Amino acid sequence: MKEKKMRLVIDQSTSGTKLLLVRNGNILKRYDKTHQQLHPESGWVEQDALEIWDNVKGLIDLAMTTNKLDSTMIASLSITNQRETIIAWDKETGLPLYNAIVWQCNRSQDICKRLISQGKEAVINSKTGLKLDPYFSGTKIKWLFENVPIIAEKSTAGKLALGTVDSWLIWNLTQGKVFATDTTNACRTLLFDINELRWDEELLEMFGATRSDLPDVKESSTIFGYYKGVKIQGVMADSQAALVGQKCTQYGEVKLTLGTGASVLMQMDGNGFIRDTQVMTTIAHANQGKVDYAMEGIIRSCADSINWFQKQITTFSDIDHACNLVLETRSNEEVYFIPALQGLASPFWTNNATGLFVGMKLTSNRRDLLRAILESIVFQVKSIIDVMEEVADKKIKCIKVDGGVTKNHQLMKMLATILGKEIIINNVEELSAIGVYSIVEKVTETITLNQSIIDPINNSVFQEKAALIHRFESWKKLISRFEEKEDK
């Protein structure tokens, strides 16, 4: 078979950037670069947009130089990215006007409360499918307009660019020639009508932006421009790209990505008319005039909780080994963890909640605390799946899982058991990159997925299942206390 050209795939995530070199459906090389997480105030999360761009450019240059490639040898460059993180920059200088405000950031809580008190949440939900929450870009945009004077000045002068990370990268890759995003990123901003597939004037006014501040919206498989002669084609938000990578195309098929946070996406039937305040409706993908929708539940702290515990509280010599070991070992302790390091998202939406260990005794140790953190991941997923089945009135048969946390085999067994569902684990980490790669024009080959299946353990074999359900119900009661407190 004639050897095909190389393809580059950028996976720009919350913690860093990956660059994949792909040919004939095979991932030949992977290059990684992390970036700083900035916390200027409690609950605030920022990143340096220039550092992100420098890392992306540096990885491309490294891959090209190391493999002795030139632009004629590259068929395409694709992008998948962290979603709701927002960047503001000057259209003339191309320089950021403020640090990137990350999806995890909770600084816009008061803005959300103000808009909710004004009765705005219903119209936002009906048009965007999302909840009025600091998680999404629109509230961060409004914060910028209200707190950073130069933002409004540049907007009035027609010199402001507001975009998610994909827009920022496309702008820099094309040297400012293209200001664009795709539908899967646009639909996460609170400014995009997922029914009409356009920026909505009412929503723009609500959050302070104007149409000229925002990128053009294109289908994911569009050619977005060129980088040194290489076409930029295939742009998708990371969670939706993973849905494509997992080949979840039929109604009721579910993928779960367990990364820094976590995203549960269920492919929907029809035109995405389901609206619910516990979970969201979002655009799954839009290509060749066809739009698919998905129901989504999001978790703010997944691996993030494990990393926090390892870095800030106590250190294990091998954290991955420790995570598996604590679940293999029986414990009589009943310690619970409320994973609200940045508040709680679906289906609870309690932004004022804080992280908390409950039930510690003199006999409790760090392994019990780590076990509680791991159980909280499973409990959050179950809470979302339960709501999804109720809202969609459909029983979910199996869940396709990807992400770094899947390395914990014991945790995956626990997840299968508490859900009573088959868990299909994709041991290939780059599911988002695979998804966006697969939508590029003329890509006919597929990347082979290394899958393993975990069946739920029957109660007659797994004697602790009843105890696990009991712990889940106790954990939910603890969560409900935060919900009651926030309602007052």
Side-chain angles (χ1 to χ4, degrees):
M1 185 177 91
K2 184 178 179 181
E3 188 174 61
K4 295 183 178 180
K5 290 185 176 182
M6 301 281 192
R7 295 184 186 272
L8 299 179
V9 184
I10 297 166
D11 185 348
Q12 204 299 299
S13 69
T14 308
S15 58
T17 300
K18 296 188 286 286
L19 179 71
L20 304 184
L21 192 60
V22 183
R23 184 176 60 199
N24 295 344
N26 298 309
I27 299 174
L28 301 182
K29 298 281 183 68
R30 169 177 156 175
Y31 302 90
D32 293 80
K33 184 79 172 177
T34 60
H35 56 251
Q36 296 182 81
Q37 307 297 319
L38 308 174
H39 304 276
E41 293 188 28
S42 177
W44 291 27
V45 189
E46 297 179 358
Q47 294 166 356
D48 183 340
L50 286 177
E51 182 186 11
I52 290 173
W53 162 238
D54 287 343
N55 287 351
V56 168
K57 185 178 182 300
L59 289 178
I60 294 174
D61 291 344
L62 176 63
M64 298 287 280
T65 302
T66 303
N67 296 281
K68 299 179 180 179
L69 301 173
D70 60 47
S71 60
T72 64
M73 302 165 72
I74 306 297
S76 63
L77 186 157
S78 303
I79 300 170
T80 182
N81 59 283
Q82 57 172 311
R83 297 185 295 179
E84 296 81 4
T85 297
I86 197 73
I87 301 171
W89 69 95
D90 188 317
K91 287 179 179 177
E92 287 191 336
T93 67
L95 295 176
L97 299 168
Y98 194 84
N99 277 337
I101 303 180
V102 181
W103 58 271
Q104 294 172 308
C105 188
N106 274 336
R107 74 184 66 195
S108 53
Q109 283 188 59
D110 289 341
I111 289 172
C112 293
K113 291 176 182 177
R114 188 196 321 156
L115 292 173
I116 290 171
S117 69
Q118 294 170 1
K120 304 294 187 181
E121 187 164 33
V123 68
I124 289 172
N125 182 254
S126 67
K127 290 186 176 185
T128 70
L130 306 177
K131 188 175 178 66
L132 184 48
D133 188 85
Y135 190 98
F136 303 106
S137 313
T139 65
K140 307 177 196 303
I141 289 171
K142 192 169 181 66
W143 185 92
L144 285 169
F145 272 98
E146 293 181 356
N147 294 274
V148 184
I150 197 171
I151 299 296
E153 293 172 16
K154 293 294 181 181
S155 178
T156 301
K159 299 176 182 178
L160 177 65
L162 291 167
T164 42
V165 174
D166 59 309
S167 296
W168 168 245
L169 296 181
I170 292 166
W171 175 278
N172 282 283
L173 288 165
T174 63
Q175 297 183 310
K177 293 183 177 69
V178 180
F179 185 32
T181 187
D182 90 304
T183 48
T184 64
N185 280 290
C187 73
R188 310 299 296 182
T189 61
L190 293 177
L191 306 177
F192 190 76
D193 189 321
I194 64 172
N195 309 299
E196 301 294 331
L197 302 180
R198 58 175 174 79
W199 298 119
D200 183 86
E201 289 299 328
E202 182 180 9
L203 297 175
L204 291 176
E205 183 178 356
M206 197 180 298
F207 291 101
T210 64
R211 175 62 189 88
S212 65
D213 301 331
L214 300 173
D216 295 331
V217 183
K218 303 183 178 183
E219 291 188 344
S220 301
S221 59
T222 302
I223 295 175
F224 283 77
Y226 292 84
Y227 173 66
K228 296 183 177 179
V230 177
K231 68 178 179 181
I232 303 167
Q233 185 178 22
V235 175
M236 288 192 78
D238 54 7
S239 194
Q240 288 98 318
L243 187 73
V244 175
Q246 291 276 24
K247 299 179 182 178
C248 292
T249 58
Q250 302 300 313
Y251 176 43
E253 290 187 328
V254 175
K255 78 90 198 175
L256 164 63
T257 299
L258 296 169
T260 302
S263 167
V264 187
L265 276 171
M266 183 178 83
Q267 186 75 33
M268 286 174 59
D269 195 16
N271 296 314
F273 292 136
I274 291 177
R275 294 290 183 272
D276 190 86
T277 57
Q278 299 173 90
V279 289
M280 299 161 297
T281 300
T282 195
I283 293 176
H285 40 84
N287 288 309
Q288 299 178 345
K290 183 178 183 296
V291 181
D292 287 334
Y293 295 86
M295 189 182 299
E296 181 176 17
I298 52 177
I299 295 170
R300 283 196 172 98
S301 291
C302 182
D304 199 36
S305 295
I306 302 171
N307 296 336
W308 161 80
F309 190 66
Q310 170 78 347
K311 182 179 179 180
Q312 302 289 3
I313 307 301
T314 186
T315 301
F316 290 88
S317 58
D318 186 336
I319 186 63
D320 291 334
H321 176 69
C323 285
N324 273 288
L325 187 61
V326 296
L327 296 182
E328 291 175 351
T329 308
R330 286 177 175 268
S331 174
N332 293 322
E333 299 294 314
E334 204 162 323
V335 180
Y336 298 95
F337 178 62
I338 308 302
L341 300 176
Q342 291 291 133
L344 291 170
S346 309
F348 311 108
W349 300 106
T350 53
N351 291 312
N352 290 330
T354 54
L356 180 69
F357 286 104
V358 178
M360 291 183 290
K361 302 173 185 176
L362 286 173
T363 51
S364 303
N365 57 43
R366 64 177 185 162
R367 291 184 297 277
D368 297 313
L369 302 185
L370 181 57
R371 181 188 181 95
I373 288 174
L374 295 170
E375 287 183 345
S376 76
I377 295 172
V378 170
F379 294 163
Q380 287 179 96
V381 174
K382 177 171 172 54
S383 299
I384 290 172
I385 294 296
D386 287 350
V387 170
M388 281 185 166
E389 290 186 327
E390 179 183 352
V391 171
D393 192 24
K394 184 173 180 63
K395 195 73 174 175
I396 296 168
K397 295 180 180 179
C398 70
I399 299 176
K400 297 181 179 180
V401 188
D402 61 90
V405 179
T406 60
K407 295 176 182 177
N408 189 323
H409 186 70
Q410 294 299 322
L411 188 67
M412 295 301 98
K413 285 169 61 177
M414 181 183 289
L415 181 63
T417 299
I418 197 169
L419 294 177
K421 303 180 191 303
E422 182 182 79
I423 299 295
I424 301 174
I425 300 174
N426 267 303
N427 298 318
V428 177
E429 291 184 24
E430 302 88 356
L431 262 296
S432 294
I434 290 170
V436 74
Y437 163 84
S438 69
I439 67 170
V440 176
E441 180 189 20
K442 296 182 180 178
V443 167
T444 56
E445 68 276 1
T446 58
I447 295 174
T448 302
L449 301 180
N450 181 16
Q451 295 183 334
S452 57
I453 298 175
I454 297 179
D455 293 313
I457 301 174
N458 187 281
N459 196 32
S460 63
V461 178
F462 187 54
Q463 298 299 321
E464 294 186 3
K465 180 172 182 179
L468 182 60
I469 296 295
H470 164 73
R471 289 175 64 79
F472 169 67
E473 295 298 337
S474 298
W475 179 86
K476 280 194 72 176
K477 288 179 181 177
L478 291 170
I479 297 291
S480 68
R481 295 181 186 178
F482 284 104
E483 294 179 286
E484 291 169 4
K485 183 179 179 181
E486 191 149 292
D487 288 339
K488 290 181 180 179

